[in-house]
Amino acid sequence: MNGEEEFFDAVTGFDSDNSSGEFSEVNQKITGMIDLDTSKSTRSGKSGERPAQENGIQKHRTALPAPMFTRSDFSVWSILKKCIGLELSKITMPIAFNEPLSFLQRITEYMEHVYLIHRASRQTQPLERMQSVAAFAVSAVASQWERTGKPFNPLLGETYELIREDLGFRFISEQVSHHPPISAFYSEGLSQDFVFHGSIYPKLKFWGKSVEAEPRGTITLELLKHGEAYTWTNPTCCVHNVIIGKLWIEQYGVVEILNHRTGDKCVLNFKPCGLFGKELHRVEGHIQDKNKKKLFIIYGKWTECLWGIEPASYESFKKQEKRGDHLRKAKLDDGSERADSDLTADVADDVPVAQETVQVIPGSKLLWRINSRPPNSAQMYNFTSFTVSLNELELGMEKTLPPTDCRLRPDIRGMENGNMGMHWAGASQRAHRGAQGLSS
């Protein structure tokens, strides 16, 4: 690699000449590339031990081998101040700001709520199918809540594949381009009810106190039984306080989901948090037919749940709500004025206080609710239970996986095992060269 290549992988130092579960105990050489040390991944008799198989379904690990490292000892500003005016993709970050997953594995998190696709395939009416597809599109970004760590950048030719018989899907992804960096994925239902595929090309922008990841690339879901194809693009993700203060995330932008067979469209507005955090995490939108007639209203939070209601009931509720607005405004104290005076200060952006849970309008139906996270999630990079299992390396798997699979990357494995020693920087660079040789 050279200094002009984009999306460099993190290393354990600030400078580099080449910038760019359950585990069974193995110490396997991968095609002569490097030693893969997974000895710390053995979890027999420890918390998170995998239960025995039940009814023929493989159980997955519930904890990582080691807790996450603190990032308080590293200064992002010490790096960024030397890179003002450069594209963020050209900046090499300390490995402490990563999480032990490849970006290819992070894409796989779209499938955590795959039951919504199965549900859409079973429904007979186009409107009901669009409701489930819309819920799936929102659920696909839900795992990013409080995930302030950066995934490892995939190497050119790197792959990841996963089969979950319990969830009814198989998934494969590959880093297909380095200039620009593009990750492609393909998934299908084990009962041949759907195909889900697309390519992701995130464009990173640094705004002084925040980093914005603008999505590029189209996502396509095909419901085979109905001959329907739906396409959309993910909302923009923004991480605040990358230099000073507590990191926090918001998603914003308009997501349009189009049913290419019927012409129906779902328009979802992921709202920015606003001045006082009132709109934090909120999603509002509607489903319309090809003549732009509103058929269904959708509302909720991408971090919590999604509800839907008939347009007439929604409008009636909003009219009643407006009548009470003047009463609520009268109760406001002068705290908002004091808060407003601080907005121009050159300090960290205050972490918005999450508002009360979604107010459910009478007559609404629940479209989706987020899965609860494991109790030790905060010590595991805020991973969901599904995410915890993604880098799991089962006994004998290293003999059947291709050497390009990201589960065999020693830098990711080392971080997951709690090994942040400097030798992982060299191992990562050797892995770069080895994987590039495999993909050439």
Side-chain angles (χ1 to χ4, degrees):
M1 290 189 174
N2 57 54
E4 295 181 356
E5 293 189 355
E6 296 182 340
F7 278 75
F8 295 143
D9 272 312
V11 295
T12 51
F14 293 141
D15 299 299
S16 171
D17 293 335
N18 294 292
S19 293
S20 43
E22 188 81 21
F23 291 97
S24 300
E25 184 171 357
V26 294
N27 191 7
Q28 175 79 21
K29 279 242 180 180
I30 306 175
T31 63
M33 185 162 53
I34 50 173
D35 286 329
L36 175 64
D37 180 11
T38 58
S39 58
K40 291 187 179 181
S41 297
T42 301
R43 305 194 52 79
S44 177
K46 295 182 180 181
S47 173
E49 181 178 5
R50 184 195 302 126
Q53 289 190 12
E54 298 178 5
N55 299 322
I57 301 299
Q58 177 67 57
K59 296 298 180 180
H60 297 272
R61 68 180 184 179
T62 58
L64 297 179
M68 67 177 289
F69 283 82
T70 178
R71 296 170 179 145
S72 59
D73 296 333
F74 296 88
S75 170
V76 178
W77 177 241
S78 67
I79 304 167
L80 297 183
K81 68 181 181 181
K82 297 181 292 184
C83 304
I84 295 176
L86 299 178
E87 291 185 24
L88 190 62
S89 59
K90 297 183 181 296
I91 300 173
T92 302
M93 300 292 287
I95 199 172
F97 291 98
N98 279 23
E99 59 181 23
L101 288 178
S102 167
F103 183 67
L104 297 181
Q105 292 166 310
R106 191 150 186 177
I107 294 175
T108 312
E109 294 182 65
Y110 290 170
M111 308 306 292
E112 178 168 353
H113 301 271
V114 68
Y115 74 89
L116 294 167
I117 299 181
H118 296 310
R119 186 174 75 188
S121 182
R122 293 192 303 267
Q123 290 168 326
T124 59
Q125 299 301 318
L127 179 57
E128 293 179 338
R129 292 196 291 274
M130 178 63 89
Q131 293 170 18
S132 294
V133 172
F136 175 74
V138 174
S139 75
V141 301
S143 64
Q144 296 184 31
W145 178 39
E146 297 185 328
R147 293 274 293 283
T148 55
K150 167 187 170 295
F152 282 75
N153 301 319
L155 314 175
L156 180 62
E158 181 175 312
T159 60
Y160 181 73
E161 53 189 287
L162 180 68
I163 299 177
R164 288 292 297 264
E165 294 182 1
D166 55 332
L167 300 178
F169 75 89
R170 61 170 59 92
F171 184 99
I172 187 168
S173 55
E174 179 180 353
Q175 190 70 5
V176 296
S177 173
H178 189 65
H179 274 304
I182 300 175
S183 305
F185 68 91
Y186 177 91
S187 179
E188 62 184 17
L190 297 182
S191 58
Q192 288 76 52
D193 55 340
F194 76 88
V195 170
F196 179 53
H197 55 91
S199 59
I200 306 295
Y201 168 27
K203 186 69 174 179
L204 303 181
K205 298 178 181 179
F206 177 50
W207 296 108
K209 292 189 290 185
S210 63
V211 173
E212 185 180 77
E214 178 188 351
R216 302 283 180 90
T218 300
I219 295 173
T220 302
L221 171 64
E222 300 178 39
L223 299 181
L224 303 180
K225 176 182 176 182
H226 305 283
E228 292 179 339
Y230 301 79
T231 57
W232 68 91
T233 300
N234 284 329
T236 296
C237 179
C238 185
V239 180
H240 293 267
N241 295 339
V242 294
I243 293 178
I244 187 174
K246 182 179 179 180
L247 295 170
W248 59 279
I249 286 179
E250 65 173 327
Q251 305 261 2
Y252 46 76
V254 176
V255 173
E256 294 188 352
I257 307 170
L258 177 63
N259 182 334
H260 290 265
R261 185 179 71 85
T262 65
D264 293 349
K265 180 186 292 186
C266 180
V267 181
L268 297 172
N269 182 14
F270 287 71
K271 296 192 172 185
C273 71
L275 291 180
F276 311 113
K278 182 179 179 181
E279 304 294 336
L280 183 65
H281 304 151
R282 292 193 178 275
V283 180
E284 290 185 0
H286 64 272
I287 299 173
Q288 64 186 36
D289 63 17
K290 60 182 179 181
N291 298 317
K292 298 186 178 181
K293 177 184 177 182
K294 289 186 180 180
L295 305 176
F296 198 71
I297 304 298
I298 294 176
Y299 64 96
K301 290 186 176 183
W302 61 268
T303 57
E304 185 179 331
C305 58
L306 206 63
W307 295 82
I309 191 172
E310 298 296 329
S313 300
Y314 179 81
E315 293 300 329
S316 177
F317 177 83
K318 285 299 181 181
K319 288 180 181 179
Q320 295 178 6
E321 192 177 45
K322 286 181 180 179
R323 295 191 189 103
D325 277 350
H326 68 283
L327 297 176
R328 285 191 292 271
K329 290 179 180 179
K331 295 180 180 180
L332 291 177
D333 55 29
D334 60 350
S336 60
E337 296 179 1
R338 291 193 299 269
D340 190 51
S341 64
D342 291 334
L343 289 175
T344 58
D346 189 17
V347 295
D349 294 331
D350 290 337
V351 180
V353 177
Q355 303 296 309
E356 69 279 358
T357 187
V358 176
Q359 182 182 10
V360 181
I361 302 173
S364 299
K365 75 172 183 177
L366 181 65
L367 301 179
W368 161 79
R369 188 179 296 280
I370 196 171
N371 294 332
S372 59
R373 293 188 176 182
N376 53 347
S377 179
Q379 287 75 49
M380 298 190 301
Y381 306 89
N382 290 310
F383 284 0
T384 68
S385 296
F386 179 83
T387 306
V388 167
S389 70
L390 292 179
N391 205 44
E392 189 172 16
L393 192 62
E394 300 171 13
L395 180 63
M397 184 182 288
E398 75 282 355
K399 298 178 181 179
T400 58
L401 288 175
T404 53
D405 193 283
C406 53
R407 276 167 290 209
L408 303 179
R409 284 184 57 166
D411 46 0
I412 298 178
R413 184 66 61 192
M415 185 178 193
E416 181 182 271
N417 287 336
N419 186 348
M420 298 284 280
M422 288 297 293
H423 71 278
W424 283 106
S428 177
Q429 292 162 14
R430 292 195 299 275
H432 275 238
R433 293 191 289 270
Q436 286 176 335
L438 289 169
S439 61
S440 61

